[in-house]
Amino acid sequence: MVKLRLKRYGRKQRMTYRIVAIDARSRREGKVTREVGFYNPCKEETQLDILAITVLCKSGAKLTETVRDIFRRESLKIT
């Protein structure tokens, strides 16, 4: 099963996160299937590839709670 989750990127003070599609059984920092966006909590900056996210969700990918909250903040409704 594929999940959309956050992957850490950068140093501690400038931490950003990539929103990635990854196998649910692998670690957070494991091999990524596809990158679909990023989130910077310091600047409240988000960039999403909406088409890729929609395709992944329709093919059965699940969202983690944190990613779902980011999508809600961006007014992106995906089930």
Side-chain angles (χ1 to χ4, degrees):
M1 175 172 54
V2 175
K3 279 192 172 185
L4 292 177
R5 62 168 62 159
L6 295 177
K7 181 177 180 178
R8 286 184 183 177
Y9 187 77
R11 295 181 184 240
K12 196 171 187 177
Q13 287 87 8
R14 298 178 189 174
M15 184 68 66
T16 60
Y17 297 91
R18 304 279 169 125
I19 300 172
V20 296
I22 194 166
D23 184 28
R25 295 170 292 183
S26 76
R27 314 178 314 213
R28 179 186 65 216
E29 306 300 325
K31 188 175 179 184
V32 173
T33 306
R34 186 170 186 181
E35 286 189 13
V36 294
F38 78 89
Y39 171 63
N40 185 347
C42 297
K43 296 181 180 179
E44 289 296 323
E45 185 179 10
T46 306
Q47 182 178 357
L48 303 170
D49 183 358
I50 297 171
L51 181 61
I53 293 167
T54 305
V55 169
L56 285 168
C57 287
K58 286 187 179 185
S59 67
K62 301 292 181 186
L63 306 174
T64 59
E65 289 182 33
T66 309
V67 172
R68 188 175 293 126
D69 291 341
I70 292 169
F71 289 171
R72 280 191 195 128
R73 262 188 258 138
E74 294 296 316
S75 302
L76 184 62
K77 295 183 180 180
I78 295 178
T79 55

